[in-house]
Amino acid sequence: MYEGSLQDLIDALGRLPGVGPKSAQRLAFHLLQTDAATVENLAKLLLEVKQKVKSCKTCGAVSETEMCNICSDTRRDLTSICVVEEAKDISSLEKTREFKGRYHVLGGVISPIDGIGPDQLRIKELINRVTTEETKEVIVATNPNLEGEATAAYLVRVLEPTGVLVTRLASGLPVGGELEYADEVTLGRALKGRRQVS
Amino acid sequence: MYEGSLQDLIDALGRLPGVGPKSAQRLAFHLLQTDAATVENLAKLLLEVKQKVKSCKTCGAVSETEMCNICSDTRRDLTSICVVEEAKDISSLEKTREFKGRYHVLGGVISPIDGIGPDQLRIKELINRVTTEETKEVIVATNPNLEGEATAAYLVRVLEPTGVLVTRLASGLPVGGELEYADEVTLGRALKGRRQVS
């Protein structure tokens, strides 16, 4: 539709996740009207992130140093490890301010359809941490869907020999939600996981 | 939440239109996992677009050359000019394959709230084109909202002395739509603009 570099930019933006052709066009025209310094800064940041950001060698989270901020923070609880699928899940958990331990990023979930088995995930590294560090609890915070549950079940099995306590995030009604709009599986879980309040 | 350059990239992406904090994080993590060549290409395109893409000196559309593809295409009808708010509106009109004339980009609409008057738009250039080129018809294709209608009314007034025929895009029911879901203003316009079919 457009000439040369503008169309190339629209195509490149359109390949990003969640960006359709219309959004890509809108973004490209926005960038055309943005001052050059801002666009140059964005281009610089894209290159910088690829060069600087690596994986933490302990937990697998994103980090610009060998060990990430959380793993190198001595004030954090060394006895509990929260296992997440992706590095970005850590920020969601950190925002709750409820967890003071450290994390372990699996790098995905077991998914036979996508050809991802336990060996493609950082499970060996997790078992290694549990046996060498003074770990008392492993909280499995994979997503509450089919693959996440299967991965959690697998982790329970492979962690059994270490004798560590393995827990799973609670499933139930979202806070602020309504029973009327909850699906039956979630409501069933909320019933099963009911807590004594008296 | 994140360290250094990753957080900077998330912030920069979050300032783009239609990209919220969650989408910005998702995009940044996607780019982290994308191969370096693709990200470098995106960065290169961002810089290239800012350097190469200019305005066509005739119609004001985006172009890498002094005159855009449409203005320099001698097979197009030189007697009709379609006036649009923004350069990106041209691609929507071109996709219809119904218009064979040329375009004129206003660069916005008259909007006193935003401090945009006729002088900030390319209206003088339009009158100049109408008087010097062999224009027979000006199709006003500004958006069918308050500002677009006001701008269209203004254009009708200033173009009157030139004697050119000024037309406006039809308002009515969208094709494939249903009367039940049409708002009353649109339905009223559809009634007013009814066509004889017998």
Side-chain angles (χ1 to χ4, degrees), chain B residues 30-41:
Chain B
H30 171 85
L31 290 164
L32 261 186
Q33 278 157 10
T34 308
D35 63 299
T38 308
V39 178
E40 279 161 23
N41 184 47

Side-chain angles (χ1 to χ4, degrees), chain B residues 37-48:
Chain B
T38 308
V39 178
E40 279 161 23
N41 184 47
L42 180 59
K44 199 195 78 191
L45 285 170
L46 283 170
L47 300 174
E48 221 174 82

Side-chain angles (χ1 to χ4, degrees), chain A residues 62-74:
Chain A
V62 288
S63 173
E64 292 191 6
T65 45
E66 275 229 320
M67 201 180 251
C68 73
N69 280 344
I70 293 175
C71 284
S72 53
D73 186 346
T74 51

Side-chain angles (χ1 to χ4, degrees), chain A residues 1-6 8-9 12-13 16-19 25-27 29-36 39-40 42-43 45-50 52-53 62-65 68-69 86-88 91 94, chain B residues 1-6 8-9 12-13 16-19 25-27 29-36 39-40 42-43 45-50 52-53 62-65 68-69 86-88 91 94:
Chain A
M1 191 57 241
Y2 297 99
E3 299 167 38
S5 59
L6 181 60
D8 292 345
L9 179 61
L13 291 170
L16 297 174
V19 182
Q25 179 180 301
R26 190 175 165 211
L27 284 172
F29 273 90
H30 170 85
L31 290 164
L32 262 186
Q33 279 156 12
T34 308
D35 62 299
V39 177
E40 278 160 25
L42 181 59
L45 284 170
L46 284 170
L47 300 174
E48 222 174 81
V49 154
K50 288 303 281 186
K52 282 195 186 168
V53 180
V62 288
S63 173
E64 292 191 6
T65 45
C68 73
N69 280 344
E86 303 289 350
K88 56 180 174 247
S91 79
E94 281 295 285
Chain B
M1 191 58 241
Y2 296 99
E3 299 167 38
S5 58
L6 181 59
D8 292 343
L9 179 62
L13 291 170
L16 297 174
V19 181
Q25 179 181 302
R26 190 176 165 210
L27 284 173
F29 272 90
H30 171 85
L31 290 164
L32 261 186
Q33 278 157 10
T34 308
D35 63 299
V39 178
E40 279 161 23
L42 180 59
L45 285 170
L46 283 170
L47 300 174
E48 221 174 82
V49 154
K50 287 303 280 185
K52 283 194 186 169
V53 180
V62 289
S63 173
E64 291 191 8
T65 45
C68 73
N69 280 344
E86 303 288 351
K88 55 179 174 249
S91 80
E94 282 294 285

